[in-house]
Amino acid sequence: MILLTGATGSIGRATMTELRTANAAFKVAARNPADLHALGVPSVVFDWDQLGSYLPALQGVDRLFLLTPNSERQVGYVLQAVAAAKRAGVRHIVRVSVMGADAEPGIILGRQHFVAEREIRASGIGWTMLRPTFFMDNFIRYYGVDPHKDSQVYLPNGDGKAAWVDPADVGAVAAKVLCTDSYAGSVIDLTGPELLSTAEALSVLGSVLGHRYAYVDVSEHAAREAMEKTGIPAWLVDAFLELNALIRQGHAATLASGVQQVLGRPPRSMREWAARLKTAPGTA
Ligand SMILES: NC(=O)c1ccc[n+]([C@@H]2O[C@H](COP(=O)([O-])OP(=O)(O)OC[C@H]3O[C@@H](n4cnc5c(N)ncnc54)[C@H](OP(=O)(O)O)[C@@H]3O)[C@@H](O)[C@H]2O)c1
């Protein structure tokens, strides 16, 4: 029995879809599982901030898909999950970490993930670390692209390139890894097939979706002010600006072979992801 956390987010949803297709035995832990009931997916009510919800969710579970939200408490969530997983007899944890988690001196979110990885490795439970790079759907979820109309994207990314990964590829890898012991003890870097700057990615998205997406390269200062105005907590503003700097300075311009190694096919391109977004938005 597999337990999925984060199943309403982009990676968790993709993992769930793959597990359903594979007829795997799984259940979902979500703070509001009502949406999942319609899909006929077994679910338990679970909240990272409710310690009492951990053990009941983990009852009868062998394998845990451990995805935590970006939060100041992210490491604490993982520590609590590992302790509960040990008590419940979980044998394998598949952790969604981040590419470059072990980089020095690192960035806020990378350091959180690195500490979380270290705790999982030390737990005595089997593990696989998935380390994806920037998700393609960040353009919709975080950067301001509207699939239905022209949009402007204001980011301090300069002309730095990233290897944007299709969230469905990360989900497909996660599902495969959850269903086998073959990747126990593996750290798997996951990227897309090509390096694209923000402007290049927007050009691809625009050509597929039939809209004009303009990139406005703003200063860090302007980006900070804009994020602060929307009420994003100060630590997360710092963390997001570090991610922008990572791209701007060229540190995200690395391709990895994890998707090919696990799935036996190349990762999907930005163009393929955008085409799915257009024709089958629920799968992108
Ligand atoms: N985005 C990227 O480019 C990227 C790249 C590499 C790694 N990552 C890592 O991937 C992870 C997910 O990031 P994301 O921003 O992409 O997440 P996301 O898709 O928004 O998913 C977050 C999930 O956590 C759930 N959640 C949030 N708070 C919860 C709570 N208190 N109790 C139970 N469930 C809760 C959300 O459920 P609800 O529906 O209830 O909100 C959602 O299912 C993070 O660890 C991040 O560092 C992200």
Side-chain angles (χ1 to χ4, degrees), residues 56-78:
L58 284 160
Q59 284 312 314
V61 170
D62 307 296
R63 295 165 179 272
L64 170 62
F65 175 73
L66 182 54
L67 181 145
T68 44
N70 284 328
S71 154
E72 261 184 314
R73 305 195 55 217
Q74 184 157 212
V75 174
Y77 294 154
V78 171

Side-chain angles (χ1 to χ4, degrees), residues 72-109:
E72 261 184 314
R73 305 195 55 217
Q74 184 157 212
V75 174
Y77 294 154
V78 171
L79 289 175
Q80 291 169 179
V82 166
K86 277 169 92 166
R87 284 184 63 190
V90 170
R91 290 191 301 109
H92 196 120
I93 293 176
V94 176
R95 167 67 179 160
V96 177
S97 179
V98 69
M99 198 159 158
D102 52 357
E104 292 285 352
I107 57 174
I108 296 165
L109 293 175

Side-chain angles (χ1 to χ4, degrees), residues 8-10 31 47-48 68 70 74 113 133 135 138 141-142:
T8 55
S10 49
R31 54 184 168 176
D47 190 323
W48 289 113
T68 44
N70 284 328
Q74 184 157 212
H113 279 296
T133 188
F135 304 159
N138 288 352
R141 298 166 64 217
Y142 295 124

